């Protein structure tokens, strides 16, 4: 097998810095200014052509590459590399006018109109023919262009068109099901079609879960999500294979959307194997945990990438345009957000977009060059960040050091638990995972976000983690159950929450009492689920002090476990709420209600104490600073990230690092030296300290 190129060509000795660049929106005079400002900012790489199909092929088989040739040449002359898009994300009007049958269809059977973007069916053979023709044209034309550093397939695959219910999708879904199940009997068993007279007697009867009289079959819904992800991946590989045929030397990527909102349209943990390097887009979700969510997503992206360096393809310099209220970032946040991604293993920091559009749906979206122009705090912050990334070049290629705590993330659990017809539609898988991450950061402890899928292909292992958190690990297959049992058998400490272990990979209950797959390991049985209403809460009496539960409770029987907390109010008063079973030399703790970050802190304090996990930070900095360490042959780099708006002093940084450190000085870094080994970390600031790697003899 030939070795694939792993990283944008020419980017092995510097951190990437840049943006989506859309010169087709601007006259040539502006291009001149763009290049001047890019040089001033220290831009090293831009993504070009993402939405330019209508400019490259203005009418069928009429090609216009002259403008792109010129853009590529100008960028190259300025020393700026190009992550060249395949331009297939948004089909031009002539194509949808000629072939309206490429347009996606929603669950009601309504065809979506063109006029926005990404209005194409992932399974449309017609769309694919036109798209791959364009990809081939670009690949052959630019194969040897010296600016070409990487290929950027489509854009955020599935962002707007993940779930298509068209006839094309129906045919592809049936083929996918035939490959998965082989026979109708297997499918009928997996989908539990004995229920509601849903038994299929011919493959042609099977449809996507279109709008039905009431809840469509849950396994059909779950399989449709899996299928839709696979359809996007199949499309991704079709473009990739064209590119690899013509430019085997050029690495290929596409921008994922690893964020904690809704279940992802594409299984990124799986799709990482389809690309040469992982790239991600991240946008903040407003709220009290916004910064922590960014950190968690960056952390998880590293987990998806198997802790290889990854590429932050997009984030924003300031406000976006697509939330109900779009507030700007506060001073320091542009740098802090960027450097948090860097801390978690990004070797390139890019934005959407280079220059703020003057027309179109995203004209209110921030950019590296805002409407206010270069005389603006945003552009000054961009320039400062560019200079800082140059100073931080030795970080390139280092890897994030492993934490002692892992938080498991499982897309199928996320999909299944948030499906319809469950005990509560208020359950938010990602929020529960984030709460544990926040609570750990509050204690000054970092955790690795680990995709469950990565445990089975060599990207990750539970070995070596002192504590493993399984938030709402709802869908558990036999191998995952076995991995958790052997982790605890081997002396590990596992903590699982409410709704874990309930269903199999087919979304059927595990046999016997809840929590099914984890019942024996946890030593408890759930007689009944008892979700709480909005605004309702219960108090708990515990060894950790009083706690408050919301969202969920279980009517729990203890079979073989110690009770660490009991419900003290409500109809379950007196019954167990938090339990622990010793198993081999390890322990398995169960938390049956939502405690939120404040309630999880005392639970985690006790658990971390038991597991021997200690914060490396001094007491005064715990909770206020996130510490992430990258290391490699060029040294250990300690990223100290101020989570809050107040200055934080760390008196003895050498004690944190376990040896002498040098605080790196650069314009976007907020750390200043305070005494011999002291650090003052400004509001929302990030400091980076370097420690030479000791070479053991
Ligand atoms: C996504 C897209 C970009 C742009 C930004 C706006 O990330 O990939 O094209 O629309 O959102 O935030």
């Amino acid at each position: 097998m030939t070795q694939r190129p792993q990283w944008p060509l020419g980017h092995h000795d510097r951190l990437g810095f840049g943006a989506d660049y859309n010169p087709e929106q601007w006259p040539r005079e502006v291009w001149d200014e763009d290049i001047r400002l890019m040089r001033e900012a220290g831009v090293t790489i831009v993504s070009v052509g993402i939405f330019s199909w209508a400019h490259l092929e203005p009418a069928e088989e009429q090609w216009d590459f002259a403008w792109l040739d010129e853009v590529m040449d100008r960028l190259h002359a300025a020393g700026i590399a190009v992550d060249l898009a395949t331009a297939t994300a948004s089909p031009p009007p002539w194509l949808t006018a000629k072939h309206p049958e490429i347009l996606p269809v929603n669950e009601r059977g309504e065809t979506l109109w063109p006029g926005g973007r990404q209005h194409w069916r992932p399974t449309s053979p017609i769309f694919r023919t036109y798209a791959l023709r364009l990809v081939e044209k670009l690949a052959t034309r630019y194969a040897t262009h010296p600016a070409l550093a990487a290929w950027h397939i489509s854009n955020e695959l599935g962002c707007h068109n993940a779930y298509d219910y068209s006839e094309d999708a129906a045919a592809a879904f049936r083929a996918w099901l035939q490959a998965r199940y082989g026979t109708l009997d297997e499918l009928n068993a997996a989908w539990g079609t004995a229920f509601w007279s849903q038994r299929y007697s011919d493959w042609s009867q099977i449809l996507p879960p279109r709008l039905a009289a009431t809840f469509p079959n849950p396994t059909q819904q779950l399989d449709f999500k899996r299928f839709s992800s696979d359809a996007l991946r199949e499309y991704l590989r079709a473009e990739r294979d064209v590119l690899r045929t013509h430019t085997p030397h050029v690495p290929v990527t596409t921008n994922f959307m690893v964020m904690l909102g809704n279940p992802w349209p594409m299984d990124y943990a799986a799709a990482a194997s389809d690309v040469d390097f992982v790239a991600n887009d991240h946008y903040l979700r407003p709220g009290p945990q916004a910064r922590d969510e960014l950190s968690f997503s960056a952390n998880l992206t590293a987990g998806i990438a198997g802790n290889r360096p990854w590429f932050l393809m997009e984030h924003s310099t300031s406000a976006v345009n697509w939330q109900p209220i779009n507030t700007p970032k506060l001073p320091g946040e542009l740098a802090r957000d960027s450097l948090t991604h860097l801390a978690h293993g990004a070797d390139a920091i890019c934005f959407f977009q280079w220059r703020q559009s003057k027309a179109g749906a995203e004209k209110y979206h921030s950019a590296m060059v805002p409407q206010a122009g270069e005389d603006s705090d945003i552009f000054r912050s961009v320039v400062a960040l560019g200079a800082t990334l140059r100073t931080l070049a030795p970080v390139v290629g280092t890897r994030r050091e492993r934490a002692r705590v892992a938080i498991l993330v499982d897309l199928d659990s996320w999909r299944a638990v948030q499906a319809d017809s469950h005990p509560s539609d208020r359950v938010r898988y990602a929020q529960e995972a984030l709460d544990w991450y926040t609570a750990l950061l509050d204690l000054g402890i970092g955790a690795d976000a680990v995709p469950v899928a990565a445990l089975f292909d060599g990207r990750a292992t539970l070995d070596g983690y002192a504590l493993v958190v399984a938030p709402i690990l709802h869908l558990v297959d036999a191998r995952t159950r076995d991995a958790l049992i052997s982790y605890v058998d081997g002396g590990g400490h596992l903590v699982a929450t409410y709704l874990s272990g309930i269903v199999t990979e087919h979304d059927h209950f595990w046999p016997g009492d809840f929590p099914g797959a984890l019942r024996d390991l946890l030593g408890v049985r759930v007689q009944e689920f008892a979700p709480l209403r909005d605004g309702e809460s219960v108090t708990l009496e515990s060894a950790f002090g009083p706690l408050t539960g919301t969202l969920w409770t279980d009517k729990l029987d203890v079979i073989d476990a110690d009770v660490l907390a009991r419900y003290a109010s409500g109809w379950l008063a007196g019954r167990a709420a938090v339990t622990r079973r010793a198993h081999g030399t390890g322990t398995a703790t169960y938390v049956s209600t939502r405690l939120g970050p404040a309630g999880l802190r005392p639970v985690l304090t006790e658990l971390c104490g038991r597991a021997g996990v200690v914060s490396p930070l001094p007491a005064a900095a715990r909770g206020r600073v996130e510490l992430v360490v990258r290391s490699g042959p060029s040294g250990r780099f300690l990223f100290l990230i101020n989570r809050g708006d107040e200055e934080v002093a760390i008196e003895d940084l050498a004690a944190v690092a376990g040896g002498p450190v040098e605080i790196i000085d650069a314009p976007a870094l907020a750390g200043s030296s305070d005494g011999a080994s002291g650090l003052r970390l400004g509001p929302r600031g990030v400091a980076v300290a370097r420690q030479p790697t000791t070479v053991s003899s």
Side-chain angles (χ1 to χ4, degrees), residues 394-399 401 630-637 690-695:
V395 170
V396 170
T398 59
R399 309 258 173 133
E401 288 184 2
R630 290 183 63 164
S631 61
S634 55
R636 281 185 93 219
F637 297 88
R690 183 177 187 172
Q691 188 184 20
T693 308
T694 35
V695 183

Side-chain angles (χ1 to χ4, degrees), residues 292-639:
D292 292 351
E293 189 278 331
L294 181 156
S295 168
F296 190 96
S297 294
N299 188 325
L300 181 54
T301 305
I304 286 168
N307 209 20
R308 293 208 319 241
W310 53 277
F311 197 114
L312 180 68
M313 191 63 82
E314 294 181 22
H315 72 314
S316 68
T317 56
S318 193
V320 299
N321 66 297
W322 41 263
Q323 294 189 347
I325 300 171
N326 296 293
T327 56
K329 291 192 178 181
L330 298 176
E333 283 187 321
L334 184 159
R336 184 178 65 178
D337 292 352
S338 299
L339 294 167
T340 303
H341 287 290
L342 187 72
H344 284 284
D347 269 4
I349 302 295
C350 294
F351 293 91
F352 177 83
Q353 60 178 331
W354 166 249
R355 181 181 285 280
Q356 188 165 359
S357 304
K358 66 177 178 344
E362 291 180 330
K363 60 183 176 295
Y364 291 102
H365 198 292
S366 60
M368 291 172 90
V369 182
Q371 179 71 10
E374 61 188 296
D375 181 14
S376 62
D377 289 343
I378 288 184
F379 189 67
R380 283 184 278 275
S381 300
V382 162
V383 173
L385 180 61
T388 303
L389 295 179
R390 280 196 297 284
T391 304
L392 292 176
V395 170
V396 170
T398 59
R399 309 258 173 133
R400 195 182 51 165
E401 288 184 2
R402 223 164 170 241
R404 305 225 38 232
V405 181
I407 299 177
L408 299 179
V409 178
D410 180 54
L411 180 60
D412 265 349
S413 291
W414 192 354
R415 287 164 167 161
V417 84
Q418 289 189 205
D420 57 40
S421 60
H422 276 61
S424 169
D425 70 1
R426 302 298 203 262
V427 173
R428 292 291 174 272
Y429 172 89
Q431 183 62 50
E432 184 63 38
L434 180 58
D435 285 353
W436 287 83
Y437 191 72
T438 289
L440 284 160
L441 289 177
D442 289 347
L443 300 174
I445 294 169
D448 292 345
V450 176
V452 169
L455 299 175
F456 303 104
D457 61 14
R459 269 177 298 173
T461 171
L462 295 181
D463 296 348
Y465 285 116
L467 175 64
V468 171
V469 183
I472 314 186
L473 191 61
H474 186 63
L475 184 151
V476 176
D477 59 15
R479 66 180 186 171
T480 305
R481 175 201 58 191
D482 294 347
L484 294 176
I485 291 172
S486 70
Y487 168 72
V488 176
D489 267 341
H493 298 279
L494 172 75
V495 53
T497 74
Y498 58 94
L499 277 168
S500 293
I502 305 301
V503 297
T504 66
E505 66 266 39
H506 296 314
D507 198 19
H508 298 193
F509 289 149
W510 273 82
D513 295 321
F514 304 130
L518 304 181
R519 178 187 57 238
D520 297 342
L521 182 61
L522 295 166
V524 293
R525 70 190 278 260
V526 176
Q527 285 196 42
E528 265 192 290
F529 299 130
L532 300 179
R533 294 192 172 81
D534 293 342
E536 205 182 346
S537 63
V538 290
T539 54
L540 280 67
E541 279 171 357
S542 81
F544 327 107
L547 298 171
T548 303
T550 59
L551 185 80
W552 194 269
T553 57
D554 286 331
K555 186 176 187 184
L556 206 59
D557 289 337
V558 177
I559 307 299
D560 174 21
D562 296 326
V563 178
L564 305 184
R566 289 184 188 279
Y567 291 111
S569 69
W571 72 292
L572 297 174
R575 298 191 85 99
V578 180
T579 62
R580 174 172 303 143
R581 174 166 178 262
H583 180 80
T585 52
T587 63
T589 301
Y590 181 63
V591 178
S592 69
T593 184
R594 178 172 183 223
L595 296 175
L600 291 175
R601 281 199 294 270
V603 174
L604 277 165
T605 301
E606 192 273 344
L607 264 170
C608 288
R610 173 174 294 270
V613 179
V614 181
S615 170
L617 292 166
R622 288 182 194 162
R624 303 176 67 190
V625 172
E626 177 184 356
L627 171 66
V628 191
V629 183
R630 290 183 63 164
S631 61
S634 55
R636 281 185 93 219
F637 297 88
L638 286 80
F639 288 78

Side-chain angles (χ1 to χ4, degrees), residues 20 50-51 117 155-156 159 255 257 259 281 283 314 316 320-322 352 362 365:
D20 288 8
I50 294 175
F51 295 106
R117 67 174 178 184
N155 191 61
E156 292 189 338
C159 181
N255 41 351
M257 296 177 282
M259 291 176 248
D281 293 355
Y283 290 93
E314 294 181 22
S316 68
V320 299
N321 66 297
W322 41 263
F352 177 83
E362 291 180 330
H365 198 292

Side-chain angles (χ1 to χ4, degrees), residues 120-141:
W120 51 276
R121 301 177 185 179
T123 57
S124 164
I126 296 174
F127 176 78
R128 190 168 300 195
T129 301
Y130 281 86
L132 295 189
R133 189 168 71 193
L134 172 60
V135 175
E136 182 150 26
K137 283 274 178 198
L138 286 161
T140 49
R141 187 168 190 97

